[in-house]
Amino acid sequence: MAGLQELRFPEEKPLLRGLDVTELENSDNFLLAEDTDWKEHDIDTPYGLLHVVIRGSPKGNRPAILTYHDVGLNHKLCFNTFFNFEDMQEITKHFVVCHVDAPGQQVGASQFPQGYQFPSMEQLAAMLPSVVQHFGFKYVIGIGVGAGAYVLAKFALIFPDLVEGLVLMNIDPNGKGWIDWAATKLSGLTSTLPDTVLSHLFSQEELVSNTELVQSYRQQIGNVVNQANLQLFWNMYNSRRDLDINRPGTVPNAKTLRCPVMLVVGDNAPAEDGVVDCNSKLDPTTTTFLKMADSGGLPQVTQAPIKVSACPFLQPGKLTEAFKYFLQGMGYMPSASMTRLTHSRTASLTSAGSVDGSRPQACTHSESSEGLGQVNHTMEVSC
């Protein structure tokens, strides 16, 4: 590693504040709310082109932050509010950030030709090493939502050496059963595609209330994302298989995620049961489970007051702080301020410090070593 040349990040402009609902309703403002340091790329993969936007350059051995959006969205609709939130500036200035759009889901995407076979969820995961190789990343820290969380989890299972850690929001590790499949088909006959997707993204309470946020996303999903391409992605997501993971020690030769994982879900989200089930299948010594009380279906977007362990706060500010703590647990950003979260150590591995960009050993190994700093893997949030 001594021979690696350290690259400097380009000068970055201050990130924009989180967008409110009024701005979200204006598609021009919402979709263009990125600073000009972002660069677009179309990357060849074994299963077709991937549209990617990136900011920054790889710095030594430090991982990149790589995101994957949920079905019905793209990287802008899914992550703009979160990454434009002012507190995220402290994080993004330390890492290169790479947003991946699923095939045909980006703004302005051409409609796929008749007969096009959309990649399976496994193939979507197998496209990501091409992105890692194209930009020269050593490892990535993935942030995925819904379908994107499933893709990143599958990616980590197939290519564990490329993944440093995962933040998985609204993940459902289970395939659709016949009853679920039939319900999805029936919903497709009685509802428009945007409304069908909205029931996947938002809680029933949000849909019944028809909040401004729901109305805004109904408009964006219908007008921004190519509907034919979205239908293909939606069909493939609903045809997914079980992730086939089990908690170590529960079955012989159990297969599970080897990297640190932070699971995030709102207690009223449609994906709540799936995330709880996923938590039961992961190694508790490397898993953080953040369940947000009174939260909607998109914790990385909503700004409504929520509570974690009876402590009220606003999103995505608290989600940003939880992410900071998650990074600190892997040995990154040790000096980052943690102004509103307090945490206690309930499990630890060991890690080499990574202030200089070196990779913490604890991220991929479960054994401990003497003389190295401890890393926390479970979190309690309190006032």
Side-chain angles (χ1 to χ4, degrees):
M1 298 300 178
L4 289 176
Q5 181 179 2
E6 186 174 282
L7 302 177
R8 293 185 177 273
F9 280 77
E11 181 180 353
E12 300 182 35
K13 302 176 182 179
L15 294 185
L16 302 176
R17 58 182 172 83
L19 300 176
D20 59 27
V21 173
T22 302
E23 291 169 302
L24 178 59
E25 289 175 339
N26 186 324
S27 60
D28 291 335
N29 288 342
F30 178 61
L31 294 175
L32 294 177
E34 296 180 287
D35 58 29
T36 56
D37 290 337
W38 294 96
K39 296 180 181 179
E40 299 188 32
H41 300 263
D42 289 313
I43 298 175
D44 267 318
T45 80
Y47 301 101
L49 287 176
L50 267 186
H51 179 262
V52 173
V53 296
I54 186 172
R55 186 181 66 185
S57 301
K59 184 176 182 181
N61 233 21
R62 189 178 291 270
I65 295 174
L66 183 145
T67 75
Y68 212 112
H69 60 86
D70 203 352
V71 63
L73 309 177
N74 49 47
H75 83 271
K76 293 185 177 182
L77 290 172
C78 194
F79 291 112
N80 256 17
T81 299
F82 185 47
F83 278 85
N84 288 339
F85 192 71
E86 57 186 357
D87 288 354
M88 279 293 286
Q89 183 175 6
E90 183 179 358
I91 295 174
T92 56
K93 69 183 181 182
H94 294 288
F95 298 90
V96 57
V97 178
C98 178
H99 295 304
V100 177
D101 285 315
Q105 310 304 302
Q106 70 270 24
V107 176
S110 300
Q111 184 168 317
F112 290 124
Q114 189 73 23
Y116 171 80
Q117 180 60 47
F118 196 86
S120 68
M121 302 302 286
E122 291 76 13
Q123 290 170 337
L124 291 176
M127 299 170 84
L128 295 179
S130 298
V131 177
V132 174
Q133 182 179 15
H134 179 86
F135 294 113
F137 301 151
K138 299 298 181 182
Y139 329 97
V140 301
I141 295 172
I143 303 178
V145 181
Y150 182 99
V151 170
L152 289 181
K154 179 65 73 172
F155 172 53
L157 289 170
I158 302 173
F159 306 98
D161 292 339
L162 296 181
V163 182
E164 187 91 18
L166 290 174
V167 177
L168 305 176
M169 300 182 231
N170 298 340
I171 186 172
D172 187 345
N174 304 310
K176 289 278 190 179
W178 284 106
I179 296 178
D180 294 327
W181 179 85
T184 300
K185 285 294 185 182
L186 180 62
S187 176
L189 295 174
T190 59
S191 304
T192 65
L193 181 58
D195 281 333
T196 301
V197 172
L198 284 174
S199 68
H200 162 76
L201 297 175
F202 291 99
S203 68
Q204 191 62 32
E205 181 180 352
E206 290 172 295
L207 294 174
V208 170
S209 302
N210 196 29
T211 64
E212 292 183 10
L213 187 68
V214 171
Q215 294 177 43
S216 299
Y217 268 86
R218 180 182 289 111
Q219 175 187 351
Q220 298 298 330
I221 294 169
N223 296 335
V224 173
V225 183
N226 183 286
Q227 298 297 283
N229 296 354
L230 170 56
Q231 185 71 66
L232 293 175
F233 189 17
W234 176 249
N235 292 344
M236 192 56 69
Y237 177 64
N238 286 296
S239 301
R240 68 190 182 278
R241 302 175 181 177
D242 291 350
L243 272 180
D244 192 25
I245 54 176
N246 291 281
R247 178 165 289 184
T250 58
V251 298
N253 302 316
K255 180 174 65 173
T256 193
L257 296 172
R258 288 166 40 188
C259 63
V261 179
M262 183 168 76
L263 299 174
V264 181
V265 71
D267 64 356
N268 294 318
E272 180 186 0
D273 290 343
V275 179
V276 170
D277 185 49
C278 186
N279 185 56
S280 72
K281 297 178 177 181
L282 297 179
D283 186 343
T285 67
T286 58
T287 302
T288 298
F289 184 21
L290 186 60
K291 186 175 180 181
M292 297 182 164
D294 303 322
S295 174
L298 294 178
Q300 82 283 10
V301 170
T302 54
Q303 294 281 350
I306 64 172
K307 296 186 294 181
V308 175
S309 297
C311 179
F313 58 76
L314 294 177
Q315 295 172 234
K318 281 298 177 179
L319 180 59
T320 301
E321 287 207 66
F323 183 44
K324 288 180 187 177
Y325 174 60
F326 181 68
L327 291 172
Q328 286 181 318
M330 292 190 294
Y332 296 106
M333 301 178 61
S335 61
S337 61
M338 300 292 290
T339 57
R340 294 178 291 274
L341 285 181
T342 61
H343 50 80
S344 62
R345 183 172 64 86
T346 57
S348 66
L349 298 181
T350 59
S351 169
S354 62
V355 180
D356 60 353
S358 60
R359 189 186 193 199
Q361 296 176 356
C363 297
T364 55
H365 300 286
S366 60
E367 66 272 9
S368 62
S369 303
E370 296 181 358
L372 298 177
Q374 292 178 325
V375 174
N376 305 329
H377 294 278
T378 58
M379 176 174 61
E380 297 175 2
V381 183
S382 60
C383 293

